[in-house]
Amino acid sequence: MELSFSSKALTNNKIPCFSLIPTTGTFLNLSKSISLASHHPIPRVSLSLSSVDSLKLMTPRKVIAMATGSSRDLEMSNLTALSPLDGRYWGKVKDLASSMSEFGLIYFRVLVEIKWLLKLSKVPEITEVPSFSKEAEAYLQGIIDGFSMDDALEVKKIEKVTNHDVKAVEYFLKQKCESHPEIAKVLEFFHFACTSEDINNLSHGLMLQEALSSVILPSMDELIKSISLMAKEFAYVPMLSRTHGQPASPTTLGKEMAIFAVRLSEERRYLSETKIKGKFAGAVGNYNAHISAYPNIDWPHVAEEFVTSLGLTFNPYVTQIEPHDYMARLFNTVSQFNNILIDFDRDIWSYISLGYFKQITKAGEIGSSTMPHKVNPIDFENSEGNLGKANAELTFLSMKLPISRMQRDLTDSTVLRNMGGALGHSLLAYKSAIQGIRKLQVNEARLKEDLDQTWEVLAEPIQTVMRRYGVPEPYEKLKELTRGRAVNEESIREFIKGLDLPEDAKSQLLKLTPHTYVGAAAALALSVDEALHL
């Protein structure tokens, strides 16, 4: 990609404007020619600067310096990362890196390859791989336990030669073990009878298992507990409901929070119960190579023992790949959890907008670059935005991964490398929501104000009691009184006093206010913990 610009546009007091111009590949300046072209014949686009209005933006020297600083020369850093997860938000999502990064993938590949060799040494019929001594087993386990960034970089160095990432791991392990006299005798049994996907599917399963158990589920739990605490704390705080955006029967703020806590906990339970599956059946799922080498071994049984020893669920019916159906289920469940959280974020945003919540301010923070008074609900907006991004990726993963041509195509390989991004945006959203919750303060005066102005919500209990005692057309009478009309405490009480009801029933209605007409809301909020699935 190249920029061509006119020096005249830079020396006059003019605003540069940009237009696309076809080019043959050189970077033109009337005073100087600079080439940024690649050695490869890729298409190029030029931007021409022409002047339109007066304003001097920058000197020719600055523009030339920018032009010569090709993006190809930039080192990877927080400022040059293409994904904000690896840049701006790294501090909030880095806990996922050990499992969901390429380092994590390489680490788990190393683990699976070593564990498979150890498994082979325990199969009596494979006399070529005798049982390892405790020292040899400890040496192999030490490679797993001591796996470092330098080790991962060495694998990547080998991959530059092999152009095959899994084979690079096999060669790395052979290098690591060639000096060990016992293991050196069985080096060719690394990756024995395996297709790359035998190693990869187990590695991906272990990556997800680790990410969920160590990071995602604990973050979900923290979020759910934060909301359930709100439910109990605000159990008795009455609040005007809104259905279709219009005043409706009162509730309590705590009960509305309890709903979200329970909904989220149910999806969290479904997620924790998802069986992460694995296969280890060779090139097309039939143990062809295994049986050709050792026909008397029950290879499906050996494979099942191996897969389950890693903490995964064995899938016996596979092609070259594990079909990824469990992944689709898993990602759909995370997506549904995220959908519920979007609903929560939007409700909290609306309550803040109505003044029901205030937000604790922090010294030095700025809400708007031009409006000094602003305290924006940025945490819930950040959460909502990242949940949308996460769900777009999760939905794609769940729709694409179960589809593979015949016994296997490679389209899943590159897609699986993006699991970390989907979970990363989810994690970022959970943390943003938690941070936003910590800043909330209930504005009870504002809640009281809305309730005081909506006595018409008592039309519901009045007409219901009228029905009980056989008063004709109760709904219609209340509709005539309240629909589209200003209703206050006085008019409601006068209506009740004029009803043909038993005195005790009339007395109970006269005691009702919009603040007390909340039904079982408080009790539901207080018992929220009994309904949670954590």
Side-chain angles (χ1 to χ4, degrees):
M1 179 176 177
E2 297 187 7
L3 287 171
S4 70
F5 51 86
S6 166
S7 59
K8 181 178 179 181
L10 301 171
T11 55
N12 293 341
N13 295 334
K14 305 292 183 181
I15 297 177
C17 74
F18 298 81
S19 60
L20 295 178
I21 298 177
T23 181
T24 56
T26 53
F27 214 171
L28 296 180
N29 181 325
L30 293 184
S31 59
K32 189 173 183 179
S33 179
I34 306 168
S35 176
L36 292 183
S38 163
H39 294 296
H40 303 288
I42 59 174
R44 299 182 177 90
V45 175
S46 290
L47 300 177
S48 174
L49 304 182
S50 59
S51 57
V52 290
D53 266 345
S54 68
L55 178 64
K56 185 173 182 179
L57 289 183
M58 56 181 68
T59 66
R61 182 173 296 175
K62 288 181 181 178
V63 173
I64 293 170
M66 289 172 61
T68 56
S70 168
S71 62
R72 296 182 182 89
D73 299 325
L74 294 177
E75 295 291 331
M76 174 63 183
S77 73
N78 284 357
L79 293 178
T80 59
L82 294 181
S83 168
L85 294 179
D86 300 316
R88 183 181 186 89
Y89 301 125
W90 172 249
K92 295 182 178 181
V93 300
K94 63 182 180 182
D95 289 346
L96 280 173
S98 62
S99 55
M100 298 308 296
S101 63
E102 181 148 10
F103 172 86
L105 176 58
I106 296 171
Y107 166 76
F108 283 114
R109 282 169 171 164
V110 167
L111 181 151
V112 172
E113 292 277 12
I114 289 175
K115 293 293 186 182
W116 179 234
L117 181 64
L118 288 168
K119 177 62 178 176
L120 294 174
S121 73
K122 292 176 170 55
V123 179
E125 294 89 345
I126 306 178
T127 56
E128 292 80 3
V129 188
S131 295
F132 288 118
S133 65
K134 290 190 179 297
E135 189 277 330
E137 288 186 356
Y139 182 88
L140 289 168
Q141 186 62 44
I143 296 175
I144 297 172
D145 296 340
F147 190 78
S148 66
M149 187 61 68
D150 286 340
D151 290 331
L153 290 171
E154 179 62 25
V155 173
K156 295 300 292 182
K157 182 179 177 182
I158 297 170
E159 185 187 340
K160 288 182 179 179
V161 178
T162 63
N163 197 32
H164 196 289
D165 49 3
V166 177
K167 204 67 178 175
V169 170
E170 178 188 345
Y171 288 170
F172 165 79
L173 290 172
K174 288 179 176 179
Q175 289 179 9
K176 277 280 190 179
C177 297
E178 62 186 1
S179 62
H180 191 283
E182 188 176 344
I183 304 171
K185 296 176 182 178
V186 294
L187 291 181
E188 292 307 321
F189 281 85
F190 277 119
H191 204 71
F192 177 77
C194 295
T195 185
S196 295
E197 191 56 23
D198 286 334
I199 308 303
N200 282 336
N201 91 97
L202 298 184
S203 299
H204 288 130
L206 292 170
M207 290 167 69
L208 284 170
Q209 187 178 72
E210 176 65 20
L212 291 175
S213 63
S214 298
V215 183
I216 298 298
L217 288 173
S219 294
M220 287 180 169
D221 290 344
E222 183 181 358
L223 173 62
I224 294 166
K225 288 175 182 177
S226 296
I227 299 174
S228 68
L229 284 174
M230 293 175 69
K232 290 174 285 188
E233 183 179 354
F234 307 140
Y236 292 105
V237 178
M239 181 180 76
L240 182 67
S241 293
R242 280 178 167 78
T243 59
H244 311 281
Q246 305 304 308
S249 300
T251 181
T252 69
L253 182 56
K255 182 261 180 177
E256 301 312 304
M257 297 302 101
I259 292 172
F260 285 110
V262 173
R263 291 174 67 194
L264 290 168
S265 75
E266 189 163 319
E267 295 306 318
R268 186 261 185 226
R269 176 168 63 88
Y270 293 150
L271 181 62
S272 68
E273 293 173 352
T274 302
K275 294 179 180 179
I276 298 179
K277 295 185 177 183
K279 57 85 65 172
F280 214 74
V284 292
N286 302 328
Y287 308 95
N288 305 48
H290 308 65
I291 293 171
S292 68
Y294 295 96
N296 296 323
I297 294 176
D298 184 357
W299 284 109
H301 179 68
V302 171
E304 182 174 7
E305 285 186 336
F306 177 60
V307 170
T308 55
S309 73
L310 299 175
L312 305 177
T313 299
F314 180 63
N315 187 351
Y317 290 96
V318 295
T319 58
Q320 185 174 104
I321 64 172
E322 201 289 322
H324 306 315
D325 295 330
Y326 86 83
M327 287 187 172
R329 248 186 321 273
L330 187 154
F331 294 138
N332 279 329
T333 304
V334 176
S335 179
Q336 180 57 17
F337 183 97
N338 292 352
N339 271 336
I340 296 169
L341 185 54
I342 289 173
D343 196 21
F344 172 82
D345 287 336
R346 289 179 178 177
D347 275 10
I348 296 295
W349 188 99
S350 298
Y351 294 145
I352 292 171
S353 179
L354 290 168
Y356 291 178
F357 283 115
K358 295 179 180 179
Q359 296 177 96
I360 300 172
T361 58
K362 185 177 180 181
E365 284 190 350
I366 293 171
S368 167
S369 63
T370 187
M371 294 175 281
H373 68 284
K374 295 292 288 295
V375 183
N376 295 327
I378 56 174
D379 295 305
F380 299 104
E381 292 171 335
N382 181 287
S383 176
E384 181 183 342
N386 277 287
L387 291 168
K389 178 67 165 66
N391 279 4
E393 296 186 20
L394 290 165
T395 300
F396 170 70
L397 289 169
S398 64
M399 291 179 67
K400 189 275 156 287
L401 288 175
I403 300 171
S404 188
R405 295 172 181 86
M406 289 180 275
Q407 281 66 55
R408 196 266 165 98
D409 65 48
L410 200 64
T411 54
D412 65 330
S413 179
T414 187
V415 170
L416 285 164
R417 293 179 183 275
N418 291 279
M419 295 190 298
L423 295 181
H425 282 287
S426 298
L427 176 63
L428 180 57
Y430 306 157
K431 291 191 173 184
S432 294
I434 293 167
Q435 182 171 299
I437 290 170
R438 290 173 182 157
K439 296 178 181 178
L440 294 177
Q441 284 183 327
V442 174
N443 185 357
E444 292 196 43
R446 181 69 185 85
L447 287 159
K448 180 179 182 300
E449 178 185 355
D450 266 5
L451 288 166
D452 287 341
Q453 294 177 357
T454 53
W455 280 79
E456 63 268 23
V457 297
L458 296 185
E460 181 187 46
I462 294 170
Q463 65 99 5
T464 304
V465 172
M466 290 168 67
R467 286 175 186 272
R468 175 187 174 183
Y469 291 102
V471 178
E473 298 184 329
Y475 179 89
E476 288 72 21
K477 286 183 171 65
L478 267 299
K479 177 182 175 184
E480 182 180 352
L481 172 70
T482 61
R483 186 172 171 85
R485 297 185 180 185
V487 178
N488 56 30
E489 179 180 2
E490 182 181 354
S491 60
I492 283 288
R493 294 196 185 283
E494 285 299 316
F495 181 84
I496 294 171
K497 289 176 182 177
L499 293 174
D500 183 17
L501 292 172
E503 284 303 315
D504 59 339
K506 190 179 293 187
S507 175
Q508 290 298 317
L509 286 177
L510 288 169
K511 291 178 183 178
L512 273 182
T513 73
H515 299 267
T516 60
Y517 180 53
V518 295
L524 288 167
L526 290 172
S527 59
V528 63
D529 288 346
E530 299 173 18
L532 297 183
H533 305 282
L534 297 178

